[in-house]
Amino acid sequence: MAYTDSRSVKSQLDESSSGPVPGQAAPRRRLSVAVRERQILEAAIKFFAKRGFTGQLRDLAKEIGVTHALLYHYFPTKRALIERVYAEVFEGRWKNDWDNILDDPVASPLDKLSAFYCDYARVVLTYDFVRILIYSGLDDQIITDRFFALLRKRLLPRLIRETRRHCGVTTEGQPSARELELLMGLHGGIFYTGIRRWVYGQAIHHKSAVAEDDDSVRDRVRAYLSSAKEILYSKEQSS
């Protein structure tokens, strides 16, 4: 399905309306296919983030103000709508620039991991991203399976490569289970700040602080790289 441009649905509707004629009832506007699809998608993201995937599509239709039949005209199955939500919230937010940051041949691993995770945190630690991922894990795992496959393909190998480089390790073999688990401690720790805010309703550090605090992210990266060198790659561990 084609994506619409980045303007909000409301702004497009405002632009398409010339206003009612005085003394006459305002005509009912017929939305274009693209605008109506976008309206449903944006409402579905909010709906699933709030209620999870056990919510009924008839309830979603009521919130939007459309018929159940119209909703199914655009998305014939609930699975089709969930797939579209994944494409929008997860794949749609993935930045190609992250590959470039981590593949920079000049910057240090510390700088690269810090730059990546600071920006990654700003993108993913949002209400809809965090809660939809959690709800998917508790339901059919359609979204979590696809998202973790994306991480395994595009992200984790780069992070392991930079971790080894930081620690002076030249091997290019497949990551060990220990390497991956230590790395997921870093990755999961950063994501957990979003869980604390959007699932548990707890302030991060202080009510005035933000979840994606750059200093905290850099602290986590430094701690991870230091522990990796000591735990995984020291002479004692390799002997």
Side-chain angles (χ1 to χ4, degrees):
M1 294 183 182
Y3 284 80
T4 60
D5 61 29
S6 59
R7 295 177 300 170
S8 68
V9 172
K10 182 178 183 302
S11 65
Q12 294 180 56
L13 294 179
D14 290 343
E15 292 172 8
S16 65
S17 173
S18 58
V21 177
Q24 296 183 9
R28 184 175 181 179
R29 291 191 298 268
R30 293 178 61 87
L31 302 182
S32 70
V33 171
V35 172
R36 177 66 81 185
E37 179 187 300
R38 188 71 193 179
Q39 179 194 46
I40 293 172
L41 176 61
E42 291 179 354
I45 291 171
K46 295 177 181 178
F47 181 82
F48 290 137
K50 181 179 180 180
R51 301 196 186 190
F53 294 98
T54 58
Q56 299 297 310
L57 293 192
R58 63 176 56 89
D59 294 327
L60 171 60
K62 289 179 181 178
E63 289 192 7
I64 302 173
V66 301
T67 65
H68 201 195
L70 180 62
L71 181 61
Y72 274 102
H73 174 74
Y74 285 88
F75 298 96
T77 65
K78 189 175 182 179
R79 172 68 179 262
L81 182 55
I82 292 173
E83 293 279 359
R84 186 71 163 80
V85 167
Y86 172 79
E88 178 74 14
V89 177
F90 294 83
E91 287 184 349
R93 296 185 188 182
W94 194 271
K95 295 184 178 181
N96 291 328
D97 284 348
W98 292 340
D99 295 348
N100 299 330
I101 288 172
L102 294 172
D103 291 342
D104 184 342
V106 177
S108 70
L110 174 60
D111 289 341
K112 287 194 276 189
L113 265 67
S114 297
F116 162 73
Y117 270 117
C118 284
D119 195 46
Y120 180 82
R122 279 187 284 272
V123 169
V124 307
L125 298 184
T126 62
Y127 177 87
D128 54 357
F129 191 109
V130 170
R131 290 178 62 91
I132 286 175
L133 190 65
I134 295 298
Y135 274 127
S136 176
L138 294 172
D139 191 54
D140 55 19
Q141 301 176 346
I142 293 172
I143 285 178
T144 53
D145 286 349
R146 291 185 61 180
F147 184 62
F148 277 91
L150 177 65
L151 294 181
R152 287 191 291 270
K153 179 180 179 181
R154 296 192 62 175
L155 181 60
L156 301 187
R158 286 182 164 91
L159 297 178
I160 292 293
R161 180 196 66 203
E162 294 306 314
T163 302
R164 289 173 175 175
R165 180 186 167 203
H166 175 82
C167 298
V169 176
T170 58
T171 180
E172 297 181 358
Q174 291 294 315
S176 68
R178 292 184 69 205
E179 285 178 308
L180 288 171
E181 285 302 312
L182 196 65
L183 174 58
M184 290 309 294
L186 166 66
H187 193 85
I190 291 173
F191 186 72
Y192 181 67
T193 61
I195 295 177
R196 280 159 51 191
R197 169 163 286 187
W198 301 123
V199 177
Y200 299 152
Q202 301 299 307
I204 308 302
H205 315 307
H206 187 271
K207 291 182 179 180
S208 62
V210 294
E212 61 275 14
D213 178 67
D214 286 356
D215 289 337
S216 295
V217 171
R218 292 190 186 97
D219 288 345
R220 289 181 182 274
V221 171
R222 291 190 190 96
Y224 160 72
L225 290 175
S226 296
S227 63
K229 189 169 186 178
E230 177 65 26
I231 295 172
L232 298 176
Y233 307 121
S234 66
K235 292 182 180 179
E236 291 79 6
Q237 292 293 330
S238 61
S239 60

